[in-house]
Amino acid sequence: MKESLYINGKWVAPQHGGTVKVTNPATGETVREIGYGGRADAVKAVAAAHDAFADWSAKTVYERAGLLLRLANLIRENADDLARVLTQEVGKPLGESRGEIGAGADQFEWYAEEVKRSAGDVIPNRMGDKRHLTIRHPVGPVAAIAPWNFPILLTARKIAPALAAGCTTIARPASQSCLTLLDMFRLLDAAGFPPGTANLLIGNPGECSEVFLEDPRLKKISFTGSLDVGRELYVECAKRMKKVSLELGGHSPFIVMPDMDPDEAAERAVFAKFRNMGQVCISASRFFVPNAMKAEFENKAAELASALAIGNGLDADTAVGPLFLPKRVEDTARFVEDIKSKGGRILCGGRAPEGEKYANGNFFMPTVATDVTRDMLIMNEEPFCPILPIIGYDDIDDALRMANDTPYGLAAYVATRRLDWAVKAAERLEAGIIGINDCTPAAAQCPFGGMKSSGVGREGWRQGLEGYYETKYISIGI
Ligand code: NAD
């Protein structure tokens, strides 16, 4: 199907006629072959978003909110179908896919409600003959660039607040996992958004971002993805004084405090690690465990990780699916070899599973590694893989110091029942999101984003809207 670009309210084929195949990471089979655009399509999308902006931004927030709410409802009504497509293109088990579709709908619902409360201010005047007020002004057409791992949620986190604020949008997802988004845009079309308000551009990332950067009609780039690409975009936006927000990678610590039962802590750790096979930006990826309970924790974590059923995400009994790309399997094996070569121990997994069922997919066994040290690759690169690395500690201050010893600052997790330790850790950890006895803290109604190199700006909560507004101050002489 070549008509995979949704521009100005119409499904169109890319101008140069290119296509891209979306592959099922569990089977290696082509799920669909779709049109893949480039520079000329990006120019068309920017023009459409620009032309639609005046009318869309002039609508009342109640009109915009009504459409967002209709879309949220349509997504929920079609959640099962969307989830099946999502599992086929990303590989995550069906239950996780349903969770993502629900979380995507939550974004549209939350901003439909929140935008009605995004008022300006009336500011008390010092001079008797003046009055001062502020109003909110949408920044203009926005490009929303998102990665492959949560295609619906991450795009919704951008376009829901942007549309609510009165901006028009161009979603540019990763082409390798854009099918669910294509289906979501069919629902957006059915919801009745005016042409040009929300566009979908499947196409070459470099060519599209060049157009976004160069065209002055495009006012903002909202990016989620890797630190390397984010940094590049940040520099290029700075050169052009283009607004940008960045949601980048993470390397999240998970600190088990000394009061925890080791078995319970291991259960939580395994749950935190293997969701989407560790391919989550806020995935826990460094596990600090008191030396006094380390052996018990290791045994339980290895037992639980070994018991996770690996398979095609569409199968009901699958607990963990494949990795997204063959390259991720290679990277995971590289981390394993490095751990072994530097004195670490692999307690379970450490290789691809064997058997016909796994022959054509990007499978890797959930892996637990211990005696991990600071010099290992897994401690220095964002892992994005199914390895649970354990580091022993004796002193809580040391654990907190090691937890902060990374350029990233997206999320951090603490397992404890002691209030004083929980508070101390939450105050000292350098991360934008802290989960105390909570490994899935993300929610539309809460701020999401990173400190340090993990990003610039926040999505979610009312801060998610702020990024799509200019504050306009009006002074009136009377
Ligand atoms: P990536 O940076 O390679 O790609 C992200 C998006 O940018 C994709 O749509 C890609 O096509 C596009 N892109 C690639 N090169 C580009 C360029 N030169 N100009 C413009 N766009 C370009 O990231 P990835 O490997 O696909 O995704 C994984 C990364 O995303 C991890 O680092 C992960 O932590 C991060 N991530 C962050 C969050 C968050 O909210 N902080 C959420 C999910 C993923």
Side-chain angles (χ1 to χ4, degrees):
M1 193 208 47
K2 288 200 168 175
E3 288 78 22
S4 62
L5 282 58
Y6 183 71
I7 298 177
N8 207 19
K10 293 200 173 63
W11 289 101
V12 292
Q15 300 206 4
H16 61 62
T19 61
V20 65
K21 284 181 181 164
V22 176
T23 307
N24 184 331
T27 62
E29 290 162 358
T30 300
V31 185
R32 262 186 255 169
E33 183 167 352
I34 53 163
Y36 185 68
R39 167 170 270 279
D41 306 291
V43 171
K44 253 175 74 179
V46 171
H50 171 264
D51 294 348
F53 177 70
D55 281 354
W56 180 247
S57 57
K59 287 196 184 301
T60 68
V61 292
Y62 284 82
E63 288 172 295
R64 294 199 296 261
L67 287 170
L68 289 169
L69 206 50
R70 200 174 300 162
L71 177 56
N73 291 336
L74 283 171
I75 293 172
R76 291 201 177 107
E77 284 162 22
N78 291 275
D80 283 346
D81 292 343
L82 291 167
R84 284 187 73 79
V85 178
L86 184 54
T87 289
Q88 286 173 64
E89 62 178 347
V90 176
K92 58 182 80 174
L94 213 41
E96 288 186 27
S97 290
R98 285 202 193 92
E100 179 182 342
I101 303 298
D106 288 351
Q107 296 286 334
F108 291 103
E109 181 194 62
W110 158 258
Y111 284 108
E113 294 165 348
E114 184 59 16
V115 71
K116 295 173 192 159
R117 284 168 265 289
S118 63
D121 296 302
V122 176
I123 301 167
N125 45 305
R126 187 182 286 268
M127 311 285 196
D129 60 350
K130 288 194 182 198
R131 298 293 181 269
H132 311 298
L133 60 135
T134 66
I135 57 171
R136 301 304 192 80
H137 189 85
V139 298
V142 173
I145 304 177
W148 54 267
N149 62 336
F150 285 80
I152 286 283
L153 172 60
L154 299 178
T155 296
R157 243 188 219 152
K158 298 178 184 311
I159 70 170
L163 290 167
C167 299
T168 51
T169 60
I170 303 163
R172 211 223 52 93
S175 56
Q176 310 100 308
S177 69
C178 60
L179 299 181
T180 322
L181 208 56
L182 253 140
D183 291 350
M184 190 193 89
F185 266 77
R186 293 208 173 82
L187 301 176
L188 183 143
D189 184 54
F193 281 81
T197 308
N199 303 280
L200 176 64
L201 180 63
I202 315 289
N204 182 291
E207 290 186 24
C208 294
S209 64
E210 260 173 45
V211 173
F212 298 155
L213 286 163
E214 283 162 14
D215 195 320
R217 294 174 298 180
L218 195 285
K219 301 297 184 202
K220 172 167 177 161
I221 297 179
S222 175
F223 174 82
T224 297
S226 63
L227 175 56
D228 286 349
V229 176
R231 189 189 281 122
E232 211 179 293
L233 279 177
Y234 202 16
V235 170
E236 295 305 318
C237 285
K239 284 186 196 158
R240 297 159 175 90
M241 291 300 290
K242 187 153 289 198
K243 291 187 190 312
V244 62
S245 63
L246 302 168
E247 292 287 339
L248 308 177
H251 204 335
S252 305
F254 182 112
I255 302 178
V256 177
M257 289 293 182
D259 64 315
M260 282 299 291
D261 168 63
D263 286 1
E264 188 187 345
E267 268 171 43
R268 290 198 206 163
V270 166
F271 174 73
K273 179 68 254 177
F274 297 111
R275 188 163 66 102
N276 203 18
M277 285 295 263
Q279 304 168 112
V280 184
C281 57
I282 58 168
S283 189
S285 47
R286 294 172 295 140
F287 293 77
F288 299 99
V289 179
N291 280 320
M293 69 167 84
K294 184 163 156 278
E296 280 172 272
F297 178 93
E298 286 169 358
N299 289 341
K300 189 67 183 179
E303 178 195 320
L304 293 170
S306 311
L308 293 170
I310 310 167
N312 186 323
L314 291 179
D315 296 340
D317 59 351
T318 292
V320 287
L323 287 158
F324 184 57
L325 294 173
K327 166 88 169 65
R328 295 244 51 81
V329 178
E330 288 162 26
D331 286 346
T332 310
R334 185 169 55 88
F335 284 129
V336 168
E337 287 315 309
D338 180 72
I339 291 168
K340 287 202 274 194
S341 73
K342 291 178 179 151
R345 286 182 294 133
I346 302 298
L347 302 178
C348 69
R351 60 177 175 82
E354 286 160 5
E356 187 61 24
K357 181 176 169 184
Y358 306 115
N360 299 316
N362 311 323
F363 291 99
F364 203 90
M365 293 168 78
T367 299
V368 177
T370 193
D371 301 335
V372 169
T373 48
R374 181 69 183 85
D375 59 326
M376 294 179 183
L377 283 181
I378 194 148
M379 295 293 279
N380 294 291
E381 288 179 21
E382 184 186 22
F384 236 56
C385 75
I387 301 179
L388 189 162
I390 301 168
I391 305 107
Y393 77 87
D394 289 315
D395 180 77
I396 294 176
D397 285 333
D398 276 348
L400 290 169
R401 188 184 44 72
M402 289 191 284
N404 286 335
D405 184 19
T406 164
Y408 292 108
L410 189 54
Y413 303 92
V414 183
T416 183
R417 290 197 187 81
R418 275 201 38 183
L419 190 59
D420 54 340
W421 287 342
V423 170
K424 179 177 169 178
E427 288 176 353
R428 285 197 29 203
L429 286 168
E430 295 165 355
I433 302 159
I434 312 275
I436 308 282
N437 301 325
D438 182 5
C439 300
T440 52
Q445 69 280 12
C446 299
F448 189 100
M451 291 168 64
K452 303 198 285 190
S453 297
S454 285
V456 175
R458 291 289 183 277
E459 297 186 326
W461 177 227
R462 62 169 75 114
Q463 283 164 290
L465 265 182
E466 293 302 327
Y468 297 101
Y469 281 132
E470 299 277 13
T471 293
K472 201 180 271 184
Y473 157 53
I474 303 170
S475 186
I476 307 169
I478 56 172

